[in-house]
Amino acid sequence: MTTQPDDTQQAEAGTEQVHDLRSALERLRRHPGQLIETDHPVDPIAELAGVYKRIGAGGTVARPTQIGPAMIFNGVTGFPGWRVLVGLMASRKRVGLLLDAPPERLTHRMTDAYRNAIAPVDVGPDKTQCQQVVHRADEDGFDLRKLLPAPTNTPDDAGPYFCLGLVLSSDPTGEKGTDVTIHRLCVQSKDTLSIFFAPGRHIDAFRKKAEAQGKPLAVSVNMGLDPAVYIGAEFEAPTTPYGYDELAVAGGLRGRPVELTRCLTVDQRCIANAEVVIEGEILPDVRVAEDQNTHTGHAMPEFPGYNGPANPALPVLKVTAITTRRDPILQTLVGPGEEHVSLAGLPTEASIYNACDKAFPGFVSEVYAHSSGGGKFLAVMKVNKSSDFDDGRARLAAMVAFGTYTELKNVILVDDDVDIFDTNDVLWAMQTRMQGNLDIIAVPGLAGHVLDPSQTPEYDPRLPAKGVTSKTIFDATAPYALREKMFIRAPFRDVDPRPWAPQLFGQDGQVADGEAPAPGGDAPVSRPKANHQG
């Protein structure tokens, strides 16, 4: 193990602008209720995730759960000196704070970043913080199971997982550049991980090219990052086609390029200010059962909310080095939680909005990738009808959404008087502006996502393969010709309520202390303060 001095750490941690994980945490510390720390000891095996399930996981996690603060565990059993962060992006409101946008405008913020992308740049050792501490696999005593506190989400997991490992690799032929994606990585031995690729992932295409040549694929696994990097990396084809480097979206979000540096033991690059980097190679023609060490039959909880089956044959990543910052923070997530909704959902929203805006400028004004679909399966789309013709245009916009984001399963269309972030308002529109025999359109036999257990031939024998599904449009918009006659909402007078209930409202007219539910389900977790004004 070697170390380098951390002479820039303190200065950078206090800067206002977010540029890495530590500056993101500093920003949250200035917003009460967004980040908590605990020194109480916690076991990374099932206990850590079990604690956060109750505090702030949200998403498709089994109830009881809620939207709550991000959390840093400073006392991780068996790993002195390590801190584990969970839930950094597990709130749309919190992501808005970190990406400099109101939560209801994050779709447009992501769209602008995609349209104004800035490619990453290479930097030298003087700007490389991720290699302040170096562990090489060719050294005696190297065991990643003892070096890194990889958690498990449940007692049934196949093993410890790195759930926020951003894998970076390059096309071995040099034709298609570099790609980054988050994949589930299960610890298999002292120096190996299994890696799961959903169908169509670009790094898997790189792996197959290398394997066809009998060669390993060099990768870096980057953890503990500026949230802009994680979220920008989740754009998918066709929005970011094969060969597109998604790190450019993070550059667009921050207005400056992501900085990369050379790995120490493989011919690859890594993110220079990452908290943790795993260097290694995906081996050709080597496969391993995901649960070979536990035989639980399960993998880990994925975004639909289920413990999926362990994969019987996954590619193997041979670890060659682990590098970290001094006093490192391992970042993780609760698999089905609201953090996945932010990671996957915001790029989903921006991709759909961008495609629809190109096809029908101004017609689709808002898109929300709903938490119940893990940010992938369900989109609520607000359309702005101005003629009878737009009754058909709304449904066509839903078809554009399906073509833009392959894994999308259901679309709910609503009018411009509906709050797409308020599930009760969306369900109200479905109850009063939709007839099942007229306004539900199902399109069978389309490509979907293999992690949905209903998208299997076992569920429906008519499906030809796992990951094929029926996609559905729920048109909860009022027919344009009838809007003024039958579908005008009751016109309440707009009154400032503060003179009557000052204890409930701040000076800006909003519920005091930020306790109003924010877009994406940030429900209040405390009671309004009493009125002490006499």
Side-chain angles (χ1 to χ4, degrees), residues 30 35 61 65 110 154 169 175 181 184 186 193 202 206 278 301 315 346 357 360 429 437 463 476 483 530:
R30 293 191 287 274
L35 176 66
V61 170
T65 189
M110 296 299 299
T154 79
S169 192
E175 298 173 355
T181 340
R184 78 179 188 225
C186 186
L193 306 168
H202 295 168
F206 294 167
I278 297 175
L346 290 170
D357 198 52
F360 322 111
N437 62 325
L463 296 177
R483 286 185 65 176

Side-chain angles (χ1 to χ4, degrees), residues 474-485:
F474 300 89
D475 188 350
T477 62
Y480 183 78
L482 299 177
R483 286 185 65 176
E484 298 298 323
K485 181 179 179 181

Side-chain angles (χ1 to χ4, degrees), residues 443-457:
V443 186
L446 300 181
H449 199 293
V450 294
L451 293 179
D452 177 358
S454 74
Q455 298 182 29
T456 60

Side-chain angles (χ1 to χ4, degrees), residues 396-465:
L396 191 58
M399 297 300 293
V400 170
F402 287 139
T404 300
Y405 193 74
T406 305
E407 295 166 353
L408 184 64
K409 182 179 180 182
N410 297 307
V411 169
I412 302 173
L413 299 168
V414 297
D415 290 305
D416 57 6
D417 62 343
V418 175
D419 182 352
I420 66 170
F421 300 105
D422 184 336
T423 298
N424 283 337
D425 214 28
V426 173
L427 291 176
W428 167 82
M430 294 181 72
Q431 308 321 304
T432 63
R433 298 179 177 180
M434 193 183 84
Q435 286 292 310
N437 62 325
L438 297 176
D439 300 315
I440 298 178
I441 304 99
V443 186
L446 300 181
H449 199 293
V450 294
L451 293 179
D452 177 358
S454 74
Q455 298 182 29
T456 60
E458 290 87 351
Y459 187 93
D460 183 353
R462 293 169 295 181
L463 296 177

Side-chain angles (χ1 to χ4, degrees), residues 53-318:
K53 169 190 181 290
R54 299 295 295 267
I55 288 174
T60 59
V61 170
R63 274 50 185 165
T65 189
Q66 64 180 3
I67 303 297
M71 194 167 184
I72 298 175
F73 293 87
N74 293 321
V76 184
T77 303
F79 295 90
W82 276 94
R83 295 169 285 168
V84 174
L85 167 69
V86 62
L88 181 69
M89 297 162 284
S91 151
R92 195 178 182 99
K93 178 180 179 181
R94 188 154 58 248
V95 171
L97 291 173
L98 294 169
L99 296 187
D100 305 297
E104 67 273 10
R105 297 294 298 174
L106 281 168
T107 305
H108 307 84
R109 179 91 167 90
M110 296 299 299
T111 302
D112 290 342
Y114 169 72
R115 293 174 178 174
N116 298 281
I118 300 173
V121 297
D122 292 325
V123 298
D126 58 318
K127 287 192 172 184
T128 298
Q129 296 168 289
C130 67
Q131 295 168 356
Q132 291 165 350
V133 180
V134 178
H135 306 269
R136 296 178 182 267
D138 56 7
E139 295 176 342
D140 291 339
F142 181 94
D143 190 335
L144 70 88
R145 297 168 298 189
K146 299 177 181 179
L147 291 172
L148 299 179
T152 68
N153 273 211
T154 79
D156 292 335
D157 286 8
Y161 278 89
F162 297 110
C163 299
L164 274 176
L166 185 72
V167 182
L168 185 154
S169 192
S170 305
D171 184 346
T173 67
E175 298 173 355
K176 292 295 183 179
T178 297
D179 190 78
V180 288
T181 340
I182 299 171
H183 302 285
R184 78 179 188 225
L185 299 157
C186 186
V187 178
Q188 297 294 344
S189 73
K190 69 176 186 177
D191 62 356
T192 60
L193 306 168
S194 60
I195 181 168
F196 173 79
F197 293 105
R201 296 297 185 256
H202 295 168
I203 289 180
D204 195 30
F206 294 167
R207 178 193 65 81
K208 291 175 180 176
K209 279 188 178 184
E211 189 168 71
Q213 300 171 355
K215 298 178 180 178
L217 180 71
V219 302
S220 67
V221 179
N222 304 266
M223 294 180 281
L225 309 172
D226 176 354
V229 174
Y230 276 125
I231 294 173
E234 287 295 284
F235 275 93
E236 296 182 8
T239 304
T240 52
Y242 186 41
Y244 185 98
D245 188 345
E246 290 87 358
L247 290 176
V249 180
L253 281 167
R254 295 301 184 205
R256 63 183 182 278
V258 174
E259 295 181 339
L260 303 175
T261 194
R262 300 304 306 181
C263 293
L264 300 178
T265 59
V266 294
D267 185 16
Q268 192 48 265
R269 297 179 295 173
C270 59
I271 296 174
N273 60 20
E275 291 288 325
V276 180
V277 174
I278 297 175
E279 300 180 4
E281 297 177 324
I282 301 178
L283 302 177
D285 302 312
V286 178
R287 302 291 186 270
V288 65
E290 196 167 13
D291 66 339
Q292 65 170 346
N293 296 312
T294 60
H295 306 290
T296 65
H298 296 287
M300 60 165 283
E302 282 281 8
F303 73 90
Y306 299 98
N307 248 13
N311 197 295
L314 289 181
V316 172
L317 195 166
K318 181 81 168 179

Side-chain angles (χ1 to χ4, degrees), residues 314-433:
L314 289 181
V316 172
L317 195 166
K318 181 81 168 179
V319 177
T320 55
I322 294 169
T323 72
T324 75
R325 293 179 68 158
R326 191 181 298 278
D327 302 319
I329 304 169
L330 184 73
Q331 191 174 356
T332 189
L333 56 73
V334 173
E338 190 73 13
E339 193 153 16
H340 187 279
V341 176
S342 298
L343 283 166
L346 290 170
T348 300
E349 294 168 11
S351 297
I352 292 170
Y353 174 82
N354 188 56
C356 289
D357 198 52
K358 286 182 177 180
F360 322 111
F363 183 64
V364 174
S365 57
E366 292 182 358
V367 181
Y368 173 41
H370 199 280
S371 295
S372 63
K376 286 178 175 282
F377 288 168
L378 173 61
V380 185
M381 298 170 58
K382 179 181 290 189
V383 298
N384 303 284
K385 294 182 180 180
S386 59
S387 69
D388 293 332
F389 184 77
D390 286 341
D391 288 341
R393 195 194 302 267
R395 298 179 180 193
L396 191 58
M399 297 300 293
V400 170
F402 287 139
T404 300
Y405 193 74
T406 305
E407 295 166 353
L408 184 64
K409 182 179 180 182
N410 297 307
V411 169
I412 302 173
L413 299 168
V414 297
D415 290 305
D416 57 6
D417 62 343
V418 175
D419 182 352
I420 66 170
F421 300 105
D422 184 336
T423 298
N424 283 337
D425 214 28
V426 173
L427 291 176
W428 167 82
M430 294 181 72
Q431 308 321 304
T432 63
R433 298 179 177 180

